[in-house]
């Protein structure tokens, strides 16, 4: 991205006790989202990302063996010290904490300062300008 800097638009702590989860969601009005894991269970914590294309599940034939190409979801194991950064529009969630210990993470959003002034202008120039005069 052709940008000189960015800013954090949100930064928060997550403390998920046993059974706590985060339902599938996205982070609107941001460019990136991210999470840094402070404390997790080594045997099962993860973050999952779902296919953003609603039509992707319209035709879903059965498959012989489950693999990374057969599903509409991908997950990344959560480990202490791991940071996961992703496009803010990408739908994601966190499964229920099955551990006896709290899952602790720090989440954040990133956006560009003065986005509308510097980056969100149309990438096209009108080739013809129409002018209509109204006469009585």
């Amino acid at each position: 991205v052709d940008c000189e800097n960015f800013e954090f638009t949100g930064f928060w702590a997550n403390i998920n006790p046993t059974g706590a989860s985060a339902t599938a969601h996205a982070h609107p009005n941001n460019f990136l989202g991210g999470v840094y894991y402070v404390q997790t269970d080594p045997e099962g914590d993860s973050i999952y990302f779902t296919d953003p294309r609603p039509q992707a599940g319209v035709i879903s034939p059965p498959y012989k063996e489950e693999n990374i190409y057969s599903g509409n979801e991908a997950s990344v194991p959560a480990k202490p010290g791991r940071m996961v950064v992703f496009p803010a529009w990408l739908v994601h969630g966190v499964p229920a904490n099955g551990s006896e210990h709290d899952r602790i993470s720090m989440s954040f959003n990133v956006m560009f300062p003065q986005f509308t002034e510097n980056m969100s202008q149309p990438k096209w120039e009108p080739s013809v300008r129409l002018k209509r005069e109204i006469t009585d």
Side-chain angles (χ1 to χ4, degrees):
V1 174
D2 185 14
C3 180
E4 292 182 18
N5 58 9
F6 61 89
E7 62 187 30
F8 289 96
T9 58
F11 194 79
W12 62 98
N14 304 294
I15 300 175
N16 299 113
T18 302
S21 64
T23 58
H25 63 283
H27 296 234
N29 297 324
N30 288 283
F31 185 70
L32 297 173
V35 60
Y36 175 80
Y37 293 99
V38 177
Q39 176 179 299
T40 66
D41 184 288
E43 296 301 318
D45 279 342
S46 65
I47 182 171
Y48 66 86
F49 300 93
T50 61
D51 191 329
R53 304 167 303 161
Q55 69 277 18
V58 171
I59 297 178
S60 183
Y63 44 85
K64 292 181 182 178
E65 184 178 319
E66 188 172 326
N67 60 50
I68 62 171
Y69 306 107
S70 61
N72 290 341
E73 188 175 288
S75 65
V76 176
K79 297 179 180 180
R82 175 172 280 173
M83 181 184 298
V84 181
V85 180
F86 48 89
W89 53 261
L90 186 58
V91 175
H92 58 283
V94 178
N97 180 4
S99 168
E100 296 178 8
H101 306 288
D102 289 345
R103 176 176 49 226
I104 302 173
S105 62
M106 305 295 292
S107 295
F108 56 90
N109 290 326
V110 173
M111 191 53 171
F112 307 106
Q114 293 99 23
F115 176 74
T116 56
E117 292 87 356
N118 299 332
M119 300 178 75
S120 69
Q121 300 303 314
K123 294 184 177 184
W124 52 270
E125 289 291 326
S127 59
V128 177
R129 295 197 183 261
L130 299 176
K131 181 178 179 183
R132 181 177 173 196
E133 292 184 21
I134 300 176
T135 58
D136 291 321

